[in-house]
Amino acid sequence: AAPSSKIGQLVHADIFNVSSDDKDFETLQCLIFVDDYTGFKNIVHLTNGTGPEIIRGVKLVGEIYAKHGHKIAKLRTDNGGGFLAGKTKADLAAMGIETEHCAPQSHVRVAERAIRHTKELFRSTLFDLPYLLPNDLYKNLLSYVTASTNTTINSNNDFRYPFQLMTGVAPRSHDFLRGSFGQIVTKDVQPTESQQESGRQPEGRC
């Protein structure tokens, strides 16, 4: 298929999980959106993969598009249960969003690549920390990783950033802090049993 020529013309979406070796960690379920034209990514944390939660995620991301003068026209997804639910399709249609599903037993390639990249950055950042990140900050790390990819040059679009293409504003060093995750925020917590057994520092300190 021909590539998109405008923002929101086609948005790829898929659900994925983020897990940890920490037995006390509760797996994060997330819904990723990747704009086909800009490569701009949004991630919404879900309580489950049902239709109502998917619609909640679409509405949240739709508000971001609307804030910058754009609209999601078509959503491309796999054949996951929540996406195929009749109520989900009806709600998306009511929002003016066309749905397109990939072939059975296949995946949304653009979204899958974005998920793999996000997970790799997430894990590498997590393992590079000199302490164990508190479980309740995993969402913050995932948000940091997503924001970082949105402010990385996209060579397929005239060497502009996905953030710039979406918002019309070029990232500037004095406005967009690109510090390493974990060197900015301090949070004191009581270590879990798993963290105590690991021998790593239980507190995230600058």
Side-chain angles (χ1 to χ4, degrees), residues 11-133:
V11 177
H12 307 268
D14 202 359
I15 294 175
F16 69 101
N17 295 324
V18 175
S19 57
S20 169
D21 293 332
D22 184 352
K23 64 184 179 182
D24 299 299
F25 176 72
E26 184 176 348
T27 298
L28 294 178
Q29 191 166 44
C30 310
L31 177 57
I32 191 169
F33 297 84
V34 186
D35 188 76
D36 191 69
Y37 178 66
T38 64
F40 189 86
K41 302 178 185 67
N42 286 283
I43 289 180
V44 177
H45 303 289
L46 306 176
T47 56
N48 54 62
T50 62
E53 274 292 275
I54 289 174
I55 292 299
R56 180 181 68 83
V58 174
K59 287 181 177 178
L60 288 173
V61 174
E63 290 174 0
I64 295 174
Y65 275 71
K67 177 182 177 180
H68 300 293
H70 312 299
K71 183 183 183 302
I72 299 176
K74 180 188 289 186
L75 202 64
R76 179 172 173 78
T77 75
D78 62 13
N79 290 275
F83 288 114
L84 291 179
K87 182 70 165 56
T88 304
K89 291 183 176 181
D91 287 343
L92 289 172
M95 296 164 63
I97 300 175
E98 180 185 351
T99 54
E100 177 181 285
H101 301 292
C102 59
Q105 307 303 318
S106 62
H107 298 279
V108 184
R109 293 181 180 178
V110 173
E112 286 290 327
R113 285 197 297 269
I115 289 170
R116 287 196 298 271
H117 186 213
T118 298
K119 285 186 172 183
E120 287 170 2
L121 291 175
F122 178 91
R123 293 190 182 108
S124 62
T125 305
L126 182 65
F127 294 153
D128 280 346
L129 294 174
Y131 53 82
L132 286 167
L133 187 69

Side-chain angles (χ1 to χ4, degrees), residues 162-174:
F163 178 91
Q164 179 183 357
L165 290 164
M166 175 63 70
T167 66
V169 178
R172 292 170 293 183
S173 59
H174 62 280

